Amino acid sequence: MQPSSNKSTLNFSRKPSPWATVLYSFAGISLNFDESDFSKIKALWTDVSNDKIHLTKYSNICNIETDNNFPVFYQMTRIFPLIMRVLGHKKAPLSVVKTLNTRETIYVGRPIDISEKADISCELTNLRFVKNGFETDIIGRVIVGGKTVFKTTKTFLYRGKVNKNIQNYTTKMDEIGKENKVSRFIIPGKAGFSFGFLSGDTNPIHYLSGYAKMQGFERDFAQPILTMEFCMSRLKTSGILGLYEQNPYEINIQYKGPVYYDTEICLFSEKSVKGHRIDLYCGDNERPSIIFEIKQ
């Protein structure tokens, strides 16, 4: 379903404070969700310039070198603080700490030079009831010169039982197997807390092991932004990403399970009809934790 005609717009002249976001998130917690009051919530951060210190910290945690262009997933650190404000809004469904990012589509129109200023926006768009809860979509954009040069559509799941008509919504991708290993790496365990406040994804399941266990996980695990940036840098080294960077491309991602810190992560690749399929395996888990496709 689409949001009601009720609108809430949040305007920012600077990056939202992560501490304020946490406070707003707790203030916006509700135990019951009234779908008739599902509102259109939009956030806008204008005239955004490069924060060199922030970019350096990001690059150091992700263990990558930066050139004149931003790393692929760096734009998510600009969008995600707005997403957290939208999800934590009092008119958003339930509690932001109960959400899980289950899938995402990224559009990269072109490389973004670190000298370019941008406007950042995000907007709560859809609601679907599914078998294990209900989902919302948030669209985030990086706009330069009036044109969208980076776009993400992120789907968040609120887990639980619902007594509603369930929508069959699937974008299933089959697993590709483990024949062509592209890379293996480890995400350091100390990254969770610092990256949370760097990226805006301050959900405690990414840095509080006890809290993550309460939510049904083995322990705390890496943020999707952090994991995907590690993946993209390895795909760049392997030459796969270079096949797509010179033209607009898209990344379709499904987050299947947690990617734990200090655990060996393996990437496997296979050519698909439209591009390249990638599966990420974490530790001894026999099923991939993340599967995604890059296509022109």
Side-chain angles (χ1 to χ4, degrees):
M1 62 178 287
Q2 295 291 321
S4 69
S5 58
N6 298 326
K7 294 182 180 181
S8 296
T9 302
L10 308 172
N11 291 298
F12 298 92
S13 59
R14 61 182 181 179
K15 185 177 181 178
S17 162
W19 296 109
T21 296
V22 171
L23 292 176
Y24 278 112
S25 296
F26 280 105
I29 288 176
S30 58
L31 300 178
N32 298 300
F33 172 53
D34 181 3
E35 63 181 281
S36 65
D37 194 35
F38 173 53
S39 301
K40 187 174 184 178
I41 307 171
K42 184 173 182 178
L44 180 64
W45 176 20
T46 57
D47 201 26
V48 182
S49 57
N50 177 29
D51 182 339
K52 293 182 179 179
I53 296 175
H54 184 273
L55 178 58
T56 299
K57 290 180 178 178
Y58 180 91
S59 301
N60 289 340
I61 291 177
C62 297
N63 193 27
I64 56 177
E65 295 183 4
T66 56
D67 50 24
N68 292 329
N69 297 322
F70 288 110
V72 177
F73 272 77
Y74 181 79
Q75 300 307 320
M76 292 303 305
T77 70
R78 293 169 152 184
I79 294 172
F80 213 91
L82 301 186
I83 289 177
M84 290 295 285
R85 283 297 182 91
V86 168
L87 288 177
H89 195 278
K90 61 184 178 180
K91 288 186 175 294
L94 301 179
S95 168
V96 63
V97 297
K98 295 292 185 180
T99 62
L100 281 176
N101 186 192
T102 55
R103 62 182 181 272
E104 179 173 17
T105 298
I106 297 284
Y107 162 79
V108 182
R110 62 168 175 81
I112 304 175
D113 192 282
I114 60 175
S115 65
E116 292 182 290
K117 288 190 174 183
D119 293 333
I120 314 296
S121 72
C122 78
E123 187 174 343
L124 185 67
T125 56
N126 300 308
L127 170 70
R128 288 179 299 276
F129 293 101
V130 293
K131 66 179 181 180
N132 51 349
F134 63 90
E135 298 176 332
T136 58
D137 294 334
I138 293 184
I139 297 177
R141 292 182 173 89
V142 177
I143 303 164
V144 177
K147 295 183 178 180
T148 297
V149 293
F150 182 95
K151 176 183 174 183
T152 175
T153 302
K154 295 179 77 70
T155 297
F156 290 88
L157 170 68
Y158 294 82
R159 292 181 294 176
K161 293 183 179 180
V162 294
N163 297 315
K164 300 288 182 180
N165 292 328
I166 294 174
Q167 291 181 248
N168 294 318
Y169 184 88
T170 180
T171 54
K172 183 179 179 181
M173 288 187 281
D174 295 326
E175 298 171 17
I176 61 174
K178 299 182 178 181
E179 293 183 6
N180 185 15
K181 183 184 290 187
V182 176
S183 178
R184 61 181 182 180
F185 56 92
I186 291 174
I187 299 177
K190 294 181 179 180
F193 182 81
S194 56
F195 192 81
F197 282 82
L198 192 71
S199 66
D201 187 353
T202 52
N203 192 324
I205 59 176
H206 299 306
Y207 51 86
L208 294 179
S209 184
Y211 179 82
K213 289 178 180 178
M214 289 173 56
Q215 299 302 314
F217 299 99
E218 180 182 321
R219 51 190 169 89
D220 52 333
F221 56 94
Q223 292 93 341
I225 302 171
L226 178 61
T227 303
M228 288 303 301
E229 193 67 82
F230 265 80
C231 290
M232 299 310 287
S233 66
R234 272 65 185 178
L235 294 178
K236 190 176 184 72
T237 300
S238 72
I240 292 176
L241 186 58
L243 300 174
Y244 302 92
E245 286 183 310
Q246 301 307 313
N247 296 289
Y249 65 95
E250 186 175 276
I251 311 171
N252 293 316
I253 312 166
Q254 294 182 10
Y255 300 107
K256 297 291 190 178
V259 177
Y260 292 112
Y261 303 112
D262 297 322
T263 303
E264 184 177 75
I265 298 164
C266 292
L267 292 182
F268 297 88
S269 171
E270 182 177 276
K271 289 201 71 174
S272 62
V273 175
K274 297 181 179 180
H276 276 82
R277 275 276 294 103
I278 314 293
D279 283 359
L280 179 153
Y281 286 82
C282 178
D284 57 4
N285 190 347
E286 295 182 357
R287 304 294 299 274
S289 295
I290 300 176
I291 62 178
F292 60 99
E293 181 180 39
I294 305 176
K295 58 185 181 181
Q296 210 74 71

